[in-house]
Amino acid sequence: MMTRTIAWVDGVNSAVMAHFALMENPDLVIAHCDLGDSVHADSRRFIDDLEAWYGKPIQRLKSNKYATIDDVFEARRYLSGINGAPCTGELKFAPRMDFQLPSDTHLWGYTADKTDAKRFTNMQENYPALKQRAPLVEMGLKKTDTHAILAEHGVRRPYVYEIGMPNGNCLGCVKATSPNYWALIRKHFPDVFARRADQARRFNVRLTRIKGVRTFIDEIPADWPTDMGKRGFGGCGFHCVTS
């Protein structure tokens, strides 16, 4: 039976994880779920740069059914809820299931930060049969460490980090509830904000919370702050799935 170790790369943390994993295992398979125009164009540049850094091709996986998260939202008429977001299921989970083998070991980019390490623990609990590791957790490396390591190697991180985004998720990520995040999207990507606000109204989804009250994003005051601070909501992992 074929045995593979697969490093799933997307943003800064997983990029650094794969760098160290390659040092341990040159035969590592590096895979990336290509979300097309759902992400900023510079995020696609980043994946190309990672190939050059690794000196090894990255296998890009795509949905056979949907090109972007907007395609998923419109087809499902659903944005997000208690069971997660359908975009992850269709654009990440399904392609991964088509690609993976039962014997594979999966490497994730979770860091040793408390909330991130907890997310990995949740993955282990939710998918006990899956062979999986989080090398950065094992190494005790946090998000601040991964960004510093990437800079030390001369790899430019995606543009969205430079404007204050907490991760390299799709623009207008529907798992975000912080009004600061949506105010930031409105400031830098007004077309994305307008599209997500329209979808939220049509599908009756209050994506944000203001003072603990669920609110439509187009109700966020125009002068609302855009500083994310420590309001990060995690990367877009395979755990964020709804049926």
Side-chain angles (χ1 to χ4, degrees):
M1 179 182 293
M2 178 185 295
T3 59
R4 302 182 299 183
T5 299
I6 305 173
W8 295 91
V9 301
D10 193 8
V12 170
N13 301 323
S14 56
V16 172
M17 175 276 293
H19 164 68
F20 286 117
L22 269 173
M23 295 171 64
E24 179 182 297
N25 177 12
D27 295 325
L28 184 73
V29 175
I30 306 174
H32 166 71
C33 289
D34 187 342
L35 307 184
D37 291 336
S38 302
V39 300
H40 192 280
D42 194 57
S43 294
R44 297 196 293 276
R45 180 276 310 165
F46 179 65
I47 299 300
D48 291 338
D49 285 358
L50 291 183
E51 280 191 325
W53 183 30
Y54 300 151
K56 185 168 186 152
I58 295 174
Q59 297 203 39
R60 291 163 169 80
L61 311 180
K62 293 184 178 182
S63 166
N64 294 322
K65 190 174 181 181
Y66 302 104
T68 68
I69 61 173
D70 286 289
D71 291 342
V72 178
F73 298 150
E74 294 299 332
R76 299 281 293 273
R77 300 190 63 78
Y78 187 92
L79 296 182
S80 67
I82 191 170
N83 293 320
C87 44
T88 302
E90 296 290 357
L91 298 180
K92 285 194 169 183
F93 191 82
R96 190 199 92 195
M97 293 301 291
D98 289 340
F99 178 73
Q100 74 180 34
L101 301 172
S103 57
D104 290 338
T105 296
H106 302 267
L107 306 185
W108 313 122
Y110 297 110
T111 68
D113 296 273
K114 184 176 180 180
T115 54
D116 225 35
K118 176 61 177 175
R119 292 171 64 219
F120 177 55
T121 298
N122 291 340
M123 271 289 288
Q124 291 176 302
E125 292 174 350
N126 293 334
Y127 302 98
L130 198 68
K131 299 174 185 177
Q132 52 185 320
R133 290 175 51 205
L136 298 178
V137 175
E138 297 169 6
M139 299 169 70
L141 293 177
K142 298 184 176 182
K143 296 178 189 294
T144 52
D145 299 316
T146 61
H147 283 256
I149 291 168
L150 196 72
E152 287 171 3
H153 283 83
V155 181
R156 181 164 54 90
R157 64 184 185 175
Y159 167 77
V160 290
Y161 290 101
E162 307 301 334
I163 60 174
M165 294 291 175
N167 47 53
N169 288 8
C170 296
L171 299 178
C173 176
V174 294
K175 68 182 287 188
T177 60
S178 167
N180 295 55
Y181 169 82
W182 288 107
L184 187 62
I185 289 291
R186 181 173 58 190
K187 175 182 177 180
H188 292 282
F189 309 104
D191 56 332
V192 174
F193 181 86
R195 188 163 63 248
R196 207 69 74 237
D198 171 68
Q199 291 165 335
R201 286 288 182 176
R202 285 190 287 117
F203 307 150
N204 194 30
V205 182
R206 292 169 171 80
L207 288 171
T208 191
R209 287 191 185 92
I210 296 180
K211 296 182 179 179
V213 179
R214 278 284 186 177
T215 306
F216 287 109
I217 60 173
D218 58 12
E219 294 177 321
I220 299 172
D223 60 350
W224 196 270
T226 59
D227 178 24
M228 287 296 293
K230 295 183 178 181
R231 297 178 179 85
F233 52 92
C236 180
F238 293 102
H239 60 283
C240 184
V241 177
T242 188
S243 59

